Amino acid sequence: MKLIGIGDAVVDIYQDQHRMYPGGSVVNVAVMARRCGAEHTAWLGLVGDDAAGQHLQACLVEEGVDISRHRVVRGSTGAAYVTLDAQGDRCFTGTNHATRVQSLVALTLNQDDLTYLRQFDVVHSCVSLNTSLERELSKLHGQTLSFDFSSPEYWTSDDLERICPLLGFAFFSGSDLSQAEIRTLVRRVHDLGVEVVGVTRAEAPAYFSYRGTVVEQPVYPATVVDTMGAGDSFIAAFLTHYLTEQAGLAPALAFAARYAAEVCGYHGAFGYGKQLD
């Protein structure tokens, strides 16, 4: 299975540790899919030419993720400021949204990018502060697209109408949604043409549906150090197993739950903490 993530890359700055970790939802998925056995993974997006961008690129190369089509822009790489509570849950306290290169420069897919993207079995993206990225996905006719909508505060009804008809996989974070709200959301997304819809719910069982056939996956016990990247790891492991093994929802979800539990056992989405100057 070959997967590429398109979209934002950031560093997560842990203020109590005074360290930065590479991250960003689609970056995490590309790295974790590779760790889960994907044949080839890649990332296409923007980073700044600062120390944070250099660290992020070096980590992706170390992980064997292809970054040959990414762009380096003069300026600051996106940063998210993080603290951990007593239970290891990561809490975002701010960003450098106003000055980061991803907010100042739009990623546009050119013909060479589109030719390159055809080698991948699935293209994964996510809700972004730079909405031009979502418009770029419409260029990927005929490819299998996966999209992480995240929590309800990050998407609207119009977003679903616009993006879902392009997708084969749609993922949501739904820990604040009731069971009835989840069922309604899943039915609506299926009606918009999405084959596989998944809702992760923190400590509650994940709710996944293939064309209306539902499987719920309980979480695996974990020694939680840091929940950063847990949702991304679930998506990465699910996509890798589902598309590689072709054994259906239940085995892929069990594999994803086990892997997400492992990811909660260390700091950062996939490690590589670096002391800040």
Side-chain angles (χ1 to χ4, degrees):
M1 191 274 285
K2 298 179 180 180
L3 175 148
I4 185 169
I6 299 180
D8 290 351
V10 304
V11 290
D12 297 311
I13 297 177
Y14 285 52
Q15 295 171 291
D16 59 329
Q17 300 178 19
H18 202 60
R19 297 171 72 85
M20 65 176 173
Y21 293 81
S25 180
V26 297
V27 168
N28 296 341
V29 169
V31 169
M32 293 165 176
R34 182 70 171 160
R35 289 183 176 183
C36 286
E39 174 189 355
H40 180 60
T41 69
W43 168 70
L44 197 167
L46 304 170
V47 291
D49 63 352
D50 55 356
Q54 293 168 14
H55 179 55
L56 200 150
Q57 293 170 82
C59 295
L60 291 176
V61 171
E62 178 69 19
E63 286 290 321
V65 175
D66 178 6
I67 59 172
S68 60
R69 300 297 305 176
H70 82 300
R71 279 72 149 162
V72 179
V73 180
R74 186 168 187 175
S76 299
T77 298
Y81 299 96
V82 179
T83 61
L84 297 176
D85 66 17
Q87 288 72 46
D89 284 335
R90 54 95 179 113
C91 306
F92 293 110
T93 61
T95 71
N96 66 341
H97 173 58
T99 58
R100 67 184 205 165
V101 296
Q102 294 94 334
S103 297
L104 304 174
V105 178
L107 176 65
T108 300
L109 300 177
N110 60 37
Q111 189 56 54
D112 287 342
D113 294 325
L114 298 177
T115 299
Y116 168 77
L117 288 167
R118 291 192 192 108
Q119 70 181 284
F120 294 94
D121 300 304
V122 61
V123 178
H124 179 73
S125 192
C126 69
V127 64
S128 172
L129 294 175
N130 190 334
T131 55
S132 64
L133 173 60
E134 295 165 9
R135 293 195 295 271
E136 290 297 294
L137 298 180
S138 63
K139 296 179 179 180
L140 304 177
H141 303 294
Q143 290 199 248
T144 299
L145 303 185
S146 165
F147 196 88
D148 182 5
F149 286 90
S150 192
S151 304
E153 63 265 29
Y154 292 106
W155 53 267
T156 66
S157 178
D158 287 344
D159 293 330
L160 298 182
E161 296 285 340
R162 186 178 69 257
I163 299 170
C164 285
L166 305 172
L167 306 179
F169 299 87
F171 301 100
F172 298 85
S173 299
S175 56
D176 295 327
L177 298 177
S178 69
Q179 195 80 4
E181 289 172 324
I182 289 172
R183 288 195 296 267
T184 298
L185 172 63
V186 169
R187 282 196 301 269
R188 183 179 181 196
V189 174
H190 278 315
D191 288 344
L192 289 168
V194 182
E195 186 172 82
V196 176
V197 185
V199 183
T200 55
R201 299 188 292 164
E203 296 178 356
Y207 185 102
F208 272 59
S209 174
Y210 170 76
R211 296 183 177 178
T213 299
V214 173
V215 176
E216 294 194 57
Q217 173 61 51
V219 298
Y220 269 70
T223 301
V224 177
V225 172
D226 179 3
T227 61
M228 180 69 77
D232 299 329
S233 66
F234 196 102
I235 291 171
F238 172 79
L239 287 171
T240 303
H241 193 285
Y242 186 82
L243 293 171
T244 301
E245 302 299 330
Q246 298 185 355
L249 285 185
L253 288 170
F255 180 79
R258 284 193 297 269
Y259 184 66
E262 293 176 13
V263 168
C264 291
Y266 56 80
H267 285 112
F270 56 95
Y272 295 97
K274 182 178 181 180
Q275 198 71 27
L276 296 172
D277 296 332

